[in-house]
Structures are given as C-alpha cells and as structure tokens.
C-alpha cells in the first residue's frame, strides 16, 4: 500500500524556518526553538501542542489534534541557498497555435525524468518553497503525472498554468484532486466556439467544447481555478461575455491584455494587441524585483535564467547543479539596470516596464507605446 504523503512540510533554510501545507499558499515562518521542538516531537513519535493545533487550524483549516508529528510533517533536507520561488517550463509543445503567443518553437523539446528529477532536487537544495509549473502546455506533457507526483513528494508547493484542454481527463483530474495545487491558472481565449477556435487556430477540432468540459469538471471537483482572460484584437468584443463565463462557474478571473514579442524577437505578434487596452495607462513604477535573487526560471532543457523575460545570460542547471545558481545575483544585477536607450532616460524612476521586458521590446523593434512613457 502506498504511504500517504504528509500534509505538512517543514524546511529550515539558511535564514528562516518554514511550515507549509500542501495545496495552500500560506507559508508560516517559525522561530528556531519552535522548529527544533517540532523536529524532536517527530523523532520521539510525539503529538502536536495545543499552540500548533490552533496554528494549523487558523492557517489551513486542518485538524492535527489526533495526529503524530512524524505522520503529519515531512521535513525537507536543509537547503544550501535562500531562494524561495521558481518557475519551470516542462515543455514548449502545445496543441494550440495562438496568434499572440511569445513562444516561437513549439517542438516537444524536454528532458527525461532522470534529468527532471535532478532539476527538481536542485530547486529544493536551493531553498525553493513555491514552484510555478508552466509550458508550452504542461498537462499534455508525456511525463506530467510522474513529474507532478515528484514535485509533491519533494515538498514543493505547486501552481499550474495551462490552457485547460486536458483538465477533464480522469488521470489528470484525479491527480489534482488527490494532490491539490495551490492554484490552477487557465487561459481563456473566447466566450464562443467561433472566437475561441479561431484565435487558437484549432477551427473544427472541438477544442472549445473540450475546454468547457474541462471547466465543468474542475468546478465539480472544486479545484482552485483562476481564469486568465487573454485579450487580443480577435476577442476583445467578447470581454464582458468572458467575464460572465467565469462568474457563472464561480471562478476568480483577471484580464491580461499587454502582448509581448516572441523569444526570437518577432514583433508581428504585437499586431494582435487589443485596441481597448491602454498601453500607457498609469501603472506602478518599477522599483525592485527579486528575479535572480529569491526567484529563478528554468526552461525545458534545464537552463536557468533570472525570469521568463530576462533569459540571457543563463546557467545550465544540469551541468553545474545548484552551485551554478551562485552566479544568479550578479546576472540579475546587470539585467535589472536600465540599459540601451533607456539608460539615460530622465524619467526612468517612474517607468513601469522592467528592464528585461523593455529590452525585449526594444530589440524586437516594437512601437514605444508598448514599453515607454514618451
């Protein structure tokens, strides 16, 4: 019989001690003496104190009163770095061909499970607590189930970004019910079959009906869904209908309408920018970013960058392992400085576009309206 995974995960990093619960966003910091007590209770097969029982009830609405610490808490190996967050593109392959997508290469280039395990273990040793799994389309990945189970086993809190197409499949649905993610972000491309399939270039393939089937299955399973309404010229006339669709399912949602060039610096995707989106609307000025310092991104081949926008310079995580991440802060410092035409800008301190993203727009030859206040 397979041993059930512990609900709680404890990890002692270089600077902090953390207590987490699988399937929940909330991460608690613990004093050294409390963490040590919890470890001792685990080793002696003891139970939880009244204080811990109340803490778990308040933070995650779980009852640990009758449980032994050894059964309820998984203690992760102590990490050697202080990263807390990461994102991981499992693949670049996708069953859609969206007109606005920033990914040029949709080939199914990815690593085998042995190498994936190396990457995930390196993330844990780097201190990562929260992992964002994306793609491509991660749910269609050949090794998604195996990868997802390993992520949970290692004690990482996981959220997923997906187009939702495969969410209704029994093996996927049951997996996410048994090992819940903290959130599933599903892209919404239209409120009607015609618009949805035209934008995703899947006309006549029944993708919209399958998508709606997945939303119904997710709602019935009470999965933590949040819809990401992708707004382009193609579907902006259905914005209110897409909001209503989300509300009818009882899902949270938000609207994303600022397109970006492809990774190969192709600006033609920007032609699909929704006209109703004010590119120069007032946004919070960019001041600081944790990219490369407490966060990093990993592509399907195990190449680490500070984020999804600032992909160069980078580090081969398979080749150099967790020690290679020691170079990330210096890379981040160089990438997060204003450069090129932005370096001498007199109002750079009020600019809302981060330096890596601004560089991406500039190198693609995009209209300044996408990234500049002038």
């Amino acid at each position: 019989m397979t041993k059930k995974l512990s609900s709680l995960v404890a990890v002692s990093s270089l600077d902090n001690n953390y207590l987490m619960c699988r399937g929940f966003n909330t991460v608690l910091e613990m004093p050294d003496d409390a963490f040590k007590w919890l470890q001792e209770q685990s080793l002696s097969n003891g139970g939880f104190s009244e204080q811990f029982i109340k803490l778990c009830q308040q933070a995650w609405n779980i009852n640990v009163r009758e449980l032994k610490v050894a059964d309820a808490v998984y203690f992760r190996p102590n990490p050697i770095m202080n990263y807390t967050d990461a994102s991981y593109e499992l693949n670049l392959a996708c069953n859609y061909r969206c007109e606005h997508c920033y990914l040029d290469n949709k080939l199914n280039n990815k690593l085998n499970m042995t190498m994936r395990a190396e990457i995930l273990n390196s993330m844990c040793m780097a201190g990562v607590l929260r992992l964002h799994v994306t793609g491509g389309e991660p749910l269609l990945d050949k090794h998604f189930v195996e990868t997802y189970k390993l992520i949970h086993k290692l004690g990482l809190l996981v959220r997923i970004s997906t187009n939702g197409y495969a969410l209704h499949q029994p093996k996927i649905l049951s997996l996410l019910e048994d090992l819940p993610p903290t959130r599933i972000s599903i892209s919404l491309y239209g409120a009607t079959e015609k618009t949805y399939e035209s934008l995703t270039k899947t006309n006549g393939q029944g993708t919209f009906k399958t998508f709606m089937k997945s939303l119904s299955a997710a709602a019935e399973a009470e999965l933590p869904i949040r819809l990401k309404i992708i707004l382009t010229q193609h579907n902006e006339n259905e914005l209110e209908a897409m909001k209503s669709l989300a509300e009818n399912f009882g899902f949270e949602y938000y609207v994303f309408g600022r397109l970006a060039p492809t990774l190969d610096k192709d600006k033609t995707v920007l032609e699909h920018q929704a006209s109703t989106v004010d590119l120069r609307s007032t946004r919070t000025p960019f001041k600081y970013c944790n990219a490369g310092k407490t966060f990093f991104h990993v592509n399907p081949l195990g190449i680490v960058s500070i984020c999804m926008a600032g992909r160069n310079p980078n580090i081969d995580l398979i080749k150099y392992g967790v020690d290679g991440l020691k170079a990330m802060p210096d890379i981040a410092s160089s990438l997060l400085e204003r450069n090129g035409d932005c370096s001498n800008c007199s109002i750079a301190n009020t600019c809302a576009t981060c330096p890596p993203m601004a560089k991406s727009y500039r190198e693609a030859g995009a209209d300044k309206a996408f990234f500049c206040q002038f």
Side-chain angles (χ1 to χ4, degrees):
M1 187 177 194
T2 303
K3 185 180 184 297
K4 182 178 176 62
L5 286 174
S6 306
S7 296
L8 300 176
V9 177
V11 57
S12 182
S13 70
L14 298 182
D15 293 334
N16 290 297
N17 306 302
Y18 299 104
L19 186 64
M20 310 177 289
C21 184
R22 288 183 170 96
F24 293 87
N25 277 313
T26 302
V27 176
L28 302 179
E29 293 188 12
M30 299 176 63
D32 289 342
D33 57 348
F35 193 87
K36 183 179 179 181
W37 179 88
L38 197 64
Q39 287 177 310
E40 291 173 348
Q41 287 295 99
S42 178
L43 293 173
S44 63
N45 203 33
F48 290 89
S49 66
E50 196 63 34
Q51 182 181 3
F52 265 97
I53 292 170
K54 291 180 179 178
L55 189 69
C56 292
Q57 185 70 44
Q58 292 171 355
W60 307 294
N61 195 28
I62 61 172
N63 186 1
V64 298
R65 184 176 296 278
E66 304 299 325
L67 300 177
K68 300 292 186 182
V69 173
D71 295 327
V73 183
Y74 167 61
F75 288 87
R76 278 177 39 176
N78 292 344
I80 60 174
M81 303 184 79
N82 277 332
Y83 286 96
T84 57
D85 296 84
S87 56
Y88 185 15
E89 287 171 326
L90 294 190
N91 58 15
L92 296 182
C94 185
N95 55 324
Y96 292 174
R97 292 293 181 269
C98 298
E99 59 191 21
H100 62 274
C101 187
Y102 70 93
L103 294 175
D104 308 89
N105 176 14
K106 296 295 180 65
L107 297 178
N108 200 10
N109 50 346
K110 61 183 187 303
L111 302 174
N112 58 39
M113 272 308 303
T114 299
M115 291 182 173
R116 277 193 184 175
E118 287 184 30
I119 288 173
L120 292 170
N121 276 289
S122 290
M123 288 181 180
C124 288
M125 292 310 296
V128 173
L129 308 175
R130 295 169 291 258
L131 179 61
H132 178 198
V133 171
T134 182
E137 176 43 48
L139 299 190
L140 294 178
D141 184 83
K142 180 180 178 181
H143 299 297
F144 174 76
V145 171
E146 190 176 357
T147 302
Y148 187 82
K149 286 181 178 179
L150 179 57
I151 290 170
H152 261 261
K153 182 179 180 180
L154 292 172
L156 291 159
L157 301 183
V158 58
R159 66 184 175 98
I160 303 168
S161 287
T162 172
N163 63 28
Y165 178 86
L167 196 54
H168 69 283
Q169 296 177 4
K171 69 175 182 178
I172 299 294
L173 199 62
S174 61
L175 174 70
L176 300 179
E177 286 182 286
D178 292 341
L179 303 174
T182 59
R183 175 177 290 167
I184 304 173
S185 178
I186 302 178
S187 298
L188 176 58
Y189 301 114
T192 63
E193 180 177 18
K194 180 179 179 181
T195 297
Y196 186 95
E197 296 192 1
S198 178
L199 188 150
T200 58
K201 298 182 181 178
T202 57
N203 299 75
Q205 297 179 32
T207 51
F208 182 70
K209 290 180 180 178
T210 301
F211 173 76
M212 293 299 289
K213 182 179 178 180
S214 287
L215 292 190
S216 296
E220 185 176 349
E222 298 183 343
L223 295 178
I225 302 299
R226 189 185 191 195
L227 293 186
K228 180 180 181 180
I229 297 175
I230 307 294
L231 207 61
T232 75
Q233 278 189 349
H234 207 114
N235 66 359
E236 59 186 328
N237 63 311
E238 292 187 0
L239 175 57
E240 294 307 315
M242 287 189 282
K243 289 180 180 180
S244 295
L245 186 153
E247 291 166 357
N248 289 339
F249 275 105
F251 293 150
E252 295 180 21
Y253 68 87
Y254 70 104
V255 180
F256 180 84
R258 187 178 295 267
L259 303 186
T262 69
L263 295 183
D264 286 343
K265 303 178 178 59
D266 182 0
K267 68 176 181 179
T268 59
V269 295
L270 303 180
E271 297 171 1
H272 304 291
Q273 175 66 47
S275 61
T276 51
V277 174
D278 183 2
L279 294 174
R280 286 182 166 146
S281 60
T282 302
R283 292 186 294 151
T284 303
F286 173 85
K287 296 296 184 184
Y288 177 80
C289 181
N290 285 325
K293 297 168 185 176
T294 63
F295 167 88
F296 59 85
H297 173 72
V298 184
N299 80 3
L301 297 179
I303 304 301
V304 178
S305 56
I306 68 164
C307 63
M308 297 180 77
R311 295 191 181 229
N312 288 289
N314 51 52
I315 296 164
D316 188 331
L317 194 57
I318 296 294
K319 182 176 180 179
Y320 296 106
V322 67
D323 284 341
L325 295 175
K326 293 176 181 177
M328 291 305 292
D330 288 339
I331 293 175
S333 294
S334 65
L335 290 179
L336 294 175
E337 292 179 356
R338 295 291 174 188
N339 51 63
D341 293 341
C342 298
S343 59
N344 297 316
C345 179
S346 60
I347 56 173
N349 63 333
T350 64
C351 182
T353 307
C354 73
M357 202 69 244
K359 182 180 179 182
S360 175
Y361 281 116
R362 287 200 318 270
E363 291 182 345
D367 189 296
K368 279 193 173 183
F370 280 95
F371 65 96
C372 184
Q373 301 171 83
F374 285 114

